[in-house]
Amino acid sequence: MQWVMNMNFRSASDRMLIACDFDGTLYHDGSVSVAAIKALKRAREQGHVTGIVSGNTIENINRRCDLSSSIDFIASSNGAVVSFGDGSIELAKGDPVLMARIGSECERMYGSRLSNIVMNDHTAGFITRDNDLQDKINELIANRFRIDTSRWSSGVSAVLIQKDRALAHIREMICKNGRILCIGDSENDIPMLDYAHNSGGLSALVGNSNLTYYADIRAQRPYGDGVAEIIE
């Protein structure tokens, strides 16, 4: 996907940085809602900065939908890589050897109970709906490999960076002093929801999330339609 940076930004006093999670928030059940795409595009045309902050890779995001006219950035791999229209910035150096070691160890110990293992240079993801197993994998990664673990609603993931760091970097680069609106649905969105709230912005939830403690507002409509509701 190729997109062009929006240079029609508002003044800092009323510009917003709108950051949306992808899987389970914007993207659900195989598609992105048309209403959400239109809402992001309208916000961008009005001079706000819009983008995706996801645990997924940019390649997977681009394969699933074309947001080129609706967003200014994609922060993928939990914010490790931030991609703009003219290139990318790596905020956390990829470590494929470490991620492969984590994947091999978790597969050796719990492979028969995992439905999927997904690895790239920046994350190692393990898909399970077993809460007890989630806790065990988190403990294994934290204790043996000494890196952060982030719980997901349908699995767990070892990550080299949290989403709030990517947002802070993006804000400094292209939306300094702008207010932040973060929209998410699951545990790995907590750092960016906290960042939005603590910086004077808004944290918002969509879908069947149980994280109301972390939200300033919650959409009445589900998933992508809820994203459109919040933005509008």
Side-chain angles (χ1 to χ4, degrees), residues 31-47:
S31 65
V32 175
S33 84
V34 174
I37 293 176
K38 288 182 177 178
L40 285 167
K41 185 175 182 178
R42 277 194 295 270
R44 188 171 186 258
E45 290 171 346
Q46 292 167 1

